Amino acid sequence: MNFKKSQKLYDKGLVNLVGAVNSPVRAFSSVGGNPLFIKRGRGSQIIDVDNNKYVDLVLSYGPMILGHRHKKVQKAVHKALKNGYSFGASTENEITLAKIVCDAFPGMDKVRFVNSGTEAVLSGIRLARSFTGKDKIIKFSGCYHGHQDALLVAAGSGLATLSLPGSKGVPEGAVKNTLIAKYNDLDSVKKHFEEYDDIAGVIIEPIGGNMGVVIPQNNFLKELKDYLLSKGALLIADEVMTGFRSKFGGAQELLGVEADITCLGKVIGGGFPVGAYGARNEIMEQVAPLGGMYQAGTLSGNPIAMAGGISTLKELKKQNPYEKFDAVGDRLSSMLLGAGKKYNIDVTVNRFGSMMNPFFTNVHVTNFEEAQTSDTNRFAIFFWEMIKNGVFLPPSQFEAWFLSSAISEKDMLIIEKAIEKSFQKIQEQ
Ligand SMILES: *Cc1c(COP(=O)(O)O)cnc(C)c1O
């Protein structure tokens, strides 16, 4: 396996792109080496520009839940393309996708489409503030909610617990209304409510996916929701990653908790730029043109993106792959744990439905601090050996792997062999 053409493109890309990537998670800084350039994808697999083939467990960081270029999605998008790309006026497809989304999330009477998860969350936060008339927002350390200023704090970085910006260029003023709590620790939320009386709500990834996969323990979400209700504060579920992935109705359906405001992205566009935020009527009536909370978008509800979303969600509902995801995920888990045992490498696997990843640690990982006990050097070795054996993974210990419904038995055998080789390689180091 060689990466000559990728290397060439990388060098070329460095000239006019920042680090040759358009999102830092695509850089290979934490695993060494340079990013690969992808030529094409089909079903569960992708091919890079050097014609190396991989089983794809990145899947665009989640959106490609049906695998790449599903026939029905391709057909729907082609059809939409014939009618025009964007109008700045309403199209019927927006209503169709809105109904699919609101039917899936009982807590959503109305929805507003935007162009990314970041936009969905920043609008959802504005909405919570508008509805409650309060300014402060609590977020959990290790949870990522897109790159808006106010939430770029303790966002999967090392700046846990302090309300300090996790990025240069974010003024302290922008995060002064952001309070940090610890995932799976309700007391850390209560403490803030004891100190402040102007908390609009709590934003959470109902299943943590941006510090590696971290699962809510016991009744954490239910208890959080009940507590917030007693305080008149809102629960904002950032289901950008989990929406339509954990279950059709997202983590909320799976965990039996209804959020006040739900933010969506990734799967909802099936690979096209779609984000959304929604809530019950009483809350959504805050949003312009019905109310005084302004939020707009030139390309929002873009007809091509809507067609991608509608066809993806319809096919997803029909396939109902959630049981398959559990079975495949269980097998992958066992492969990783088995290899750990065989080669005497500490590994723990967190999995929730079709999101999963191993941590190279003997610690049971339930929050960001525990995730950070993972041996990232081992991950780097593991990552490259998986690549060389035909499995494409996110180039970071702290990213989730994703499954698509297109994954086959053949793919599973490729992954199994790759895992075996990779653990062997770690042991040899
Ligand atoms: C990916 C993600 C976002 C940001 O979405 P973008 O489309 O990248 O802006 C926000 N929240 C969560 C939980 C995510 O996984």
Side-chain angles (χ1 to χ4, degrees):
M1 188 174 273
N2 80 70
F3 308 111
K4 278 186 193 152
K5 284 190 179 160
S6 271
Q7 182 61 48
K8 244 189 187 158
L9 286 178
Y10 175 69
D11 292 338
K12 206 169 160 185
L14 285 175
V15 179
N16 294 122
L17 290 168
V18 181
V21 293
N22 277 303
S23 183
V25 297
R26 298 176 201 165
F28 277 30
S29 19
S30 71
V31 290
N34 294 322
L36 304 177
F37 282 72
I38 305 305
K39 184 160 71 178
R40 197 183 309 132
R42 187 171 175 210
S44 57
Q45 301 202 348
I46 53 173
I47 297 178
D48 71 14
V49 289
D50 291 288
N51 286 326
N52 302 309
K53 233 183 185 186
Y54 310 93
V55 178
D56 183 13
L57 298 183
V58 178
L59 296 164
S60 187
Y61 290 86
M64 310 312 300
I65 196 162
L66 303 174
H68 297 279
R69 290 196 292 141
H70 190 281
K71 277 208 178 82
K72 289 203 177 137
V73 179
Q74 211 161 35
K75 204 169 147 195
V77 170
H78 278 158
K79 195 174 150 204
L81 277 170
K82 285 185 189 153
N83 292 325
Y85 313 149
S86 188
F87 304 109
S90 296
T91 55
E92 189 173 354
N93 272 354
E94 294 162 70
I95 303 173
T96 308
L97 188 59
K99 176 154 173 46
I100 295 174
V101 173
C102 288
D103 284 351
F105 289 83
M108 288 168 82
D109 294 323
K110 285 186 175 54
V111 63
R112 167 63 62 82
F113 292 116
V114 293
N115 305 291
S116 69
T118 294
E119 244 190 293
V121 175
L122 80 84
S123 309
I125 297 279
R126 187 180 301 151
L127 179 56
R129 286 173 167 156
S130 168
F131 182 72
T132 59
K134 294 173 179 172
D135 285 343
K136 288 202 164 49
I137 297 287
I138 299 177
K139 84 175 277 291
F140 294 94
S141 151
C143 282
Y144 177 68
H145 302 292
H147 66 86
Q148 65 158 311
D149 282 358
L151 295 183
L152 267 186
V153 39
S157 79
L159 287 163
T161 67
L162 296 173
S163 280
L164 288 175
S167 162
K168 283 191 178 177
V170 175
E172 268 175 48
V175 297
K176 76 169 198 285
N177 285 313
T178 309
L179 305 169
I180 310 300
K182 201 167 162 186
Y183 207 80
N184 277 322
D185 182 350
L186 190 57
D187 285 340
S188 70
V189 173
K190 288 182 179 169
K191 255 188 209 146
H192 289 308
F193 277 93
E194 281 154 22
E195 192 170 343
Y196 301 102
D197 57 10
D198 58 341
I199 299 174
V202 173
I203 183 157
I204 187 167
E205 286 182 69
I207 294 147
N210 285 288
M211 44 184 154
V213 176
V214 171
I215 297 161
Q217 304 291 297
N218 306 321
N219 278 322
F220 178 57
L221 272 181
K222 270 198 177 131
E223 285 168 13
L224 177 63
K225 165 82 202 219
D226 290 345
Y227 180 73
L228 294 181
L229 201 58
S230 76
K231 292 285 170 189
L234 302 183
L235 178 64
I236 307 159
D238 180 352
E239 294 231 44
V240 170
M241 188 182 283
T242 52
F244 302 102
R245 178 164 277 289
S246 302
K247 265 265 181 205
F248 201 73
Q252 292 174 63
E253 179 183 342
L254 204 56
L255 301 170
V257 177
E258 198 175 293
D260 296 296
I261 296 174
T262 299
C263 305
L264 297 164
K266 299 198 167 111
V267 172
I268 199 183
F272 294 87
V274 183
Y277 64 99
R280 56 186 182 271
N281 281 323
E282 138 191 65
I283 299 177
M284 286 307 278
E285 278 159 12
Q286 294 284 318
V287 180
L290 295 183
M293 186 206 109
Y294 194 72
Q295 183 275 311
T298 301
L299 294 178
S300 294
N302 175 269
I304 313 301
M306 293 292 108
I310 293 165
S311 50
T312 297
L313 295 189
K314 277 191 175 162
E315 176 62 19
L316 184 61
K317 185 150 202 190
K318 195 174 121 203
Q319 286 189 8
N320 193 16
Y322 303 100
E323 270 181 34
K324 172 177 171 173
F325 284 152
D326 267 334
V328 168
D330 259 350
R331 261 179 83 190
L332 285 180
S333 247
S334 305
M335 288 175 193
L336 289 159
L337 294 173
K341 225 175 192 174
K342 181 167 170 191
Y343 293 100
N344 203 19
I345 308 287
D346 281 336
V347 65
T348 173
V349 178
N350 279 5
R351 183 180 79 78
F352 205 95
S354 58
M355 291 159 53
M356 63 182 296
N357 70 286
F359 294 96
F360 292 97
T361 175
N362 58 7
V363 171
H364 176 53
V365 176
T366 65
N367 59 35
F368 186 50
E369 272 168 33
E370 287 160 1
Q372 283 177 307
T373 63
S374 187
D375 184 336
T376 51
N377 292 327
R378 283 187 166 175
F379 178 81
I381 299 165
F382 176 78
F383 170 84
W384 274 109
E385 204 58 22
M386 291 295 281
I387 289 280
K388 285 172 188 162
N389 285 282
V391 183
F392 194 66
L393 299 176
S396 163
Q397 167 67 81
F398 303 106
E399 297 283 357
W401 306 359
F402 298 99
L403 303 178
S404 78
S405 61
I407 197 165
S408 68
E409 184 59 28
K410 211 173 127 200
D411 296 325
M412 293 299 281
L413 297 176
I414 293 172
I415 298 171
E416 185 166 33
K417 207 168 136 201
I419 288 175
E420 179 83 19
K421 289 240 168 103
S422 304
F423 274 79
Q424 199 176 349
K425 187 88 174 182
I426 295 173
Q427 196 196 38
E428 284 164 16
Q429 297 290 310

